[in-house]
Amino acid sequence: MKKVRILSIDGGGIRGILPGTILTHLEKRIQELTKNPDAKIGEYFDFMAGTSTGGILGLIMLCPDENGGYRFSAKDALDLYLDQGDEIFDVSLGRKLKSLSGLNDERYSADALDTALKNYFGDIKLSQSKKPCLVTSYDIRNRKAHFFTSIDALSNIHDFHFKDVARATSAAPTYFEPAHIYSIFGTPHTLIDGGVFANNPALCAYSECRKLDFKKILNDEDKPTKPSAKDMMIVSLGTGSIKKPYHFSEFKDAGVLKWIQPLIDIMMSGNSETVDYQLAKIYGTLSGKNSEDYYRIEPKIINASSDMDKADLGNLKALEEDGKLSVMAFEEKLNEIAQKLIKNA
């Protein structure tokens, strides 16, 4: 029986360059091992999950072309950040003054992001995703977690355009205004970044896959139906492991304004660490080689800023450099992952 191959990518704004760089290397390694220079990373995962920047990366890699193939490579996904990141996170002096750096209004206009998503996705719908997927967001009107899934999208009520899913999952509070989008059926939704509750969506991916019939969905008799952990291979990618310390002397008398930015940072990193802990414990209960099929790769931020929105050209280059350093640090593990992905194809 072949394993279900799951890719999960954390949120993290412009730091999506880090997992994007790692996936570009992984794709090249697969091309080398299969001797197929046209192989794309989307072909070698059976399910993808993403939050915020991770959701955008996943959707790019699952976008179909006009012939039913995979439109984009991992490098194409990375290029969105390297080529347009400085425009997406560009802020005029007028907006900076009006927003008070995010205290009075969102920091950035979503116009450049909307344009980039439209250029990448056009009118592709979630129901057209090349593989099953899950993208997180939060419904602020109905006060509940919202999971975009390609399986649910088989109904117009739960189907959305790729560009709208990407916009919703990345609508980070204080950075961009909430996404006001419509399903294909016409139902309105007001959504914000899924990182407020699931910055690391790997456990969401695990839970979603438990109910799916991959044998039928992928038309592959060697894939399992309703897989358990022993039937899954999970690759979970973070967006940077630097942790800014917060000291008692700074926060002993802190009010709301002082706590806003630290709380976002703590909430996101804390969620990612908790999900990693939970999945590591789940796989720790398995026997033999099955216990080795959960991979958590958290890149280190060495040269770049850890800010989610620092997108000047110098920091974009520094993030790519840190991504390449992480590739070197995890090269043995990435080679092992590539071999397993091919084996379970």
Side-chain angles (χ1 to χ4, degrees), residues 244-254 258:
K244 179 181 178 181
Y246 300 107
H247 302 289
F248 174 73
S249 58
E250 298 176 77
F251 286 88
K252 63 178 182 177
D253 298 314
K258 180 82 170 180

Side-chain angles (χ1 to χ4, degrees), residues 226-239:
K226 297 183 179 179
S228 60
K230 65 179 175 55
D231 305 308
M232 300 180 194
M233 172 190 175
I234 299 178
V235 179
S236 174
L237 302 181
T239 56

Side-chain angles (χ1 to χ4, degrees), residues 156-206:
N156 274 351
I157 295 175
H158 301 294
D159 199 7
F160 296 81
H161 286 108
F162 259 37
K163 63 179 184 287
D164 290 336
V165 176
R167 176 69 178 85
T169 191
S170 58
T174 76
Y175 291 93
F176 296 107
E177 67 180 19
H180 189 66
I181 65 172
Y182 293 82
S183 68
I184 301 302
F185 183 76
T187 306
H189 296 264
T190 302
L191 304 161
I192 61 172
D193 195 313
V196 299
F197 73 96
N199 198 56
N200 176 348
L203 198 57
C204 297
Y206 168 82

Side-chain angles (χ1 to χ4, degrees), residues 6-28:
I6 300 167
L7 174 63
S8 173
I9 313 173
D10 287 14
I14 197 62
R15 298 198 323 247
I17 288 173
L18 295 166
T21 302
I22 290 170
L23 288 168
T24 298
H25 170 82
L26 185 60
E27 185 174 72
K28 288 180 180 177

Side-chain angles (χ1 to χ4, degrees), residues 208-223:
E208 180 72 12
C209 287
R210 289 282 283 117
K211 69 179 186 182
L212 299 182
D213 183 349
F214 284 93
K215 191 187 302 288
K216 180 179 179 180
I217 294 170
L218 302 176
N219 193 27
D220 188 341
E221 287 297 318
D222 292 327
K223 291 292 182 179

Side-chain angles (χ1 to χ4, degrees), residues 3 6 200-210 227-234 273-296:
K3 301 241 180 196
I6 300 167
N200 176 348
L203 198 57
C204 297
Y206 168 82
S207 301
E208 180 72 12
C209 287
R210 289 282 283 117
S228 60
K230 65 179 175 55
D231 305 308
M232 300 180 194
M233 172 190 175
I234 299 178
E273 293 159 12
T274 301
V275 170
D276 178 39
Y277 173 85
Q278 291 166 326
L279 281 170
K281 292 297 183 183
I282 289 172
Y283 275 78
T285 66
L286 303 181
S287 59
K289 293 290 186 180
N290 289 326
S291 64
E292 301 171 10
D293 285 331
Y294 167 63
Y295 295 90
R296 174 65 176 174

